[in-house]
Amino acid sequence: MTRPSPAAPAARIPSGRQGRFPFPPMDEYARHLLQENLDADTVHLEAHLPGTVDVERLRAAFTRALAAHPTLRVRQADSRWWHRRYHWEPAPLGPTAVAATAALDPTRRRALTEPPPLAAGPPLRLEAAPAPGGGTALLLTAAHTLADAGTCLRLLCDTADEYAGAPAGRGTGGSGGARAAAGGAGTDARTGTVARTDTVTRAGTAARTGTAAGTAAAAAGGGRPARIAPAADPSPGAGVGVHLSVLPLALTSGNPSGPSRPTVNDLLLTAVQLTLAEWNHRHDHPAGPIHLSMPIDDRPYGPLAPGAPMGNHNHLATIRAEAPAPDAGAGTAATLLGRISTQTRAAKAAPVTGGGPVARLVSAPWLPVGAKAPLTRALRRVAAPWTSTALVSNLGRVTHPLDFGPAGPAEALWFSAPVRMPRGLSVSALTLDGRLHLAVRHCHQLLSGPAAADLARSCAEHLDALAQEGRRR
């Protein structure tokens, strides 16, 4: 089941009593699901800086950046079950929203599993922790009910500008801005999430066109989406983990803006298809079609463009590649890439509709929230068998300087999208300074940390093989 799709990327408009305004449908959908005992629905953004951050100066910069976005400086207003809608209301930043921590691992774990409370203040948290090898790791955590990854990136960019003493938004200018999240050099900027790792994973150089490609091709198509085979040693209990990595981005050559040339996003989707097919084959998991959910940003010029609305402004498209011929051999991966490229272009060109039955339910004016919540959760449970195999999100090329002045510019940047069972896996990517930052976020009941690292390595090898194949053509 996908999140409801807005008819247009309209901004939240504060109005009414004391600046209160109703939750948009996407916010309300996320809020209803929070009433279930699910893993934390958080967006995690992580930047590594070479220098040390002054926390008080960071708090002041974050407060000024947030002041420019009143639709983010809000909390959930008190509500009762008979109310027709949830509402946001203006709220000051809480005293613990910006803080320094002693260690990165527990801070990252908190970003993945402990969402900022919706009613205490703006559901945002910015923490500074020591980075491996020196410097500072900044972790921005947002409740997905409030904001998507693009919005979080915009807020962090504005915070960097304020911290450095530059006007906020100095690098934003849509597709021509000095540093906007924009597609180029083969990178697609309209789909997205982010990632980062403490170690650099080098993509392998061996081409991989045999069993994995054939299995992925055979599994693609109709029917219920395949589930990911659980690892032999899944982590005990509930919870969420993330594996972060950095890859060199020699993925395209020649003219990447040609109408039929695959983008980095197409390569990533294909690599994930091949990786999951190979993983399931190795674990003797029943074959089935691998469906990938791809977020598409509804803001025409992305979240960093001047005047872009903040909040949740994307909808999901499902990528289902048809199976090439079983005897395609070494050309199977290239065939799969071509069919995925065709689907992504069609998905991004398709008009945004008002959503399906969930959107109509959430926006129904006659139903109180006390009735909408269990109905929304029931619909999600009914639709669970048709939930996509994995979520693949790509924010594209980040061209904003993200320079924190005396603390230095970001040397690495990741974000990870929320995960829930039965999907249990999200792969998020962005490009910074010519390198692809990849985050593999996973539910512990599905994959252990080493299993997620294995998936990331396999994905990197498939990306490299696809790029090499493209350069030979």
Side-chain angles (χ1 to χ4, degrees):
M1 175 179 291
T2 62
R3 294 162 66 90
S5 304
R12 297 172 172 136
I13 305 298
S15 61
R17 181 160 52 98
Q18 297 178 345
R20 286 163 51 119
F21 58 99
F23 277 32
M26 292 182 73
D27 296 11
E28 189 164 337
Y29 172 75
R31 176 63 183 85
H32 291 327
L33 293 184
L34 289 179
Q35 298 182 23
E36 202 169 70
N37 185 23
L38 298 167
D39 290 324
D41 197 29
T42 64
V43 176
H44 149 244
L45 192 63
E46 184 170 332
H48 287 210
L49 313 178
T52 302
V53 168
D54 179 270
V55 175
E56 290 306 314
R57 180 171 175 171
L58 182 65
R59 173 187 294 277
F62 190 62
T63 301
R64 291 193 298 271
L66 200 57
H69 304 292
T71 55
L72 299 180
R73 201 176 62 251
V74 293
R75 66 185 173 199
Q76 180 184 306
D78 289 339
S79 65
R80 300 292 183 268
W81 70 266
W82 60 83
H83 289 173
R84 297 299 188 262
R85 302 287 295 274
Y86 291 113
H87 284 77
W88 294 114
E89 64 180 8
L93 194 65
T96 61
V98 181
T101 64
L104 176 57
D105 284 348
T107 305
R108 184 183 289 153
R109 189 159 50 247
R110 185 162 52 251
L112 301 175
T113 61
E114 298 179 20
L118 295 178
L124 299 161
R125 186 169 61 235
L126 181 60
E127 296 175 291
T136 304
L138 291 181
L139 288 88
L140 176 60
T141 307
H144 200 6
T145 304
L146 177 75
D148 58 20
T151 293
C152 292
L153 176 60
R154 172 63 182 270
L155 184 57
L156 189 64
C157 288
D158 288 355
T159 300
D161 292 345
E162 293 286 357
Y163 189 93
R170 58 176 171 162
T172 60
S175 59
R179 205 162 176 178
T187 305
D188 182 73
R190 296 198 57 201
T191 59
T193 316
V194 180
R196 149 90 192 217
T197 297
D198 302 331
T199 59
V200 176
T201 304
R202 179 82 188 180
T205 57
R208 303 163 56 128
T209 56
T211 302
T215 304
R224 288 187 181 184
R227 301 270 71 89
I228 299 169
D233 57 341
S235 302
V240 175
V242 67
H243 178 80
L244 304 174
S245 57
V246 181
L247 312 175
L249 193 64
L251 298 182
T252 59
S253 60
N255 176 21
S257 59
S260 62
R261 191 170 190 88
T263 64
V264 171
N265 191 62
D266 297 332
L267 292 166
L268 180 63
L269 286 162
T270 306
V272 172
Q273 279 261 6
L274 297 171
T275 297
L276 295 182
E278 180 182 69
W279 173 270
N280 282 352
H281 180 77
R282 284 194 347 235
H283 289 79
D284 296 322
H285 199 62
I290 294 176
H291 294 180
L292 301 178
S293 288
M294 178 185 76
I296 299 178
D297 200 313
D298 299 314
R299 292 163 283 215
Y301 299 104
L304 300 191
M310 299 291 99
N312 284 300
H313 293 283
N314 57 61
H315 66 279
L316 294 182
T318 301
I319 303 301
R320 309 177 183 89
E322 295 180 5
D327 58 353
T332 303
T335 303
L336 185 63
L337 173 60
R339 291 179 174 172
I340 284 177
S341 298
T342 299
Q343 284 197 59
T344 58
R345 286 196 301 273
K348 284 179 267 188
V352 179
T353 66
V358 176
R360 290 193 291 272
L361 173 66
V362 166
S363 58
W366 58 87
L367 275 179
V369 294
K372 291 178 187 178
L375 286 173
T376 300
R377 297 196 297 271
L379 280 174
R380 185 178 183 275
R381 284 192 295 271
V382 169
W386 290 272
T387 301
S388 63
T389 309
L391 175 76
V392 180
S393 179
N394 176 26
L395 278 185
R397 186 166 51 92
V398 179
T399 56
H400 189 283
L402 207 60
D403 190 345
F404 282 80
E411 297 179 327
L413 177 67
W414 299 269
F415 88 90
S416 66
V419 290
R420 289 191 178 107
M421 296 299 289
R423 183 185 289 138
L425 179 73
S426 70
V427 179
S428 304
L430 61 78
T431 303
L432 180 72
D433 297 333
R435 297 181 301 164
L436 189 71
H437 291 66
L438 194 69
V440 177
R441 186 162 168 176
H442 55 97
C443 291
H444 283 156
Q445 64 193 95
L446 178 69
L447 299 172
S448 62
D454 188 21
L455 279 178
R457 282 191 296 271
S458 179
C459 186
E461 291 168 7
H462 282 299
L463 277 169
D464 189 71
L466 289 165
Q468 288 195 37
E469 179 67 19
R471 287 193 291 271
R472 285 194 291 267
R473 288 175 177 266

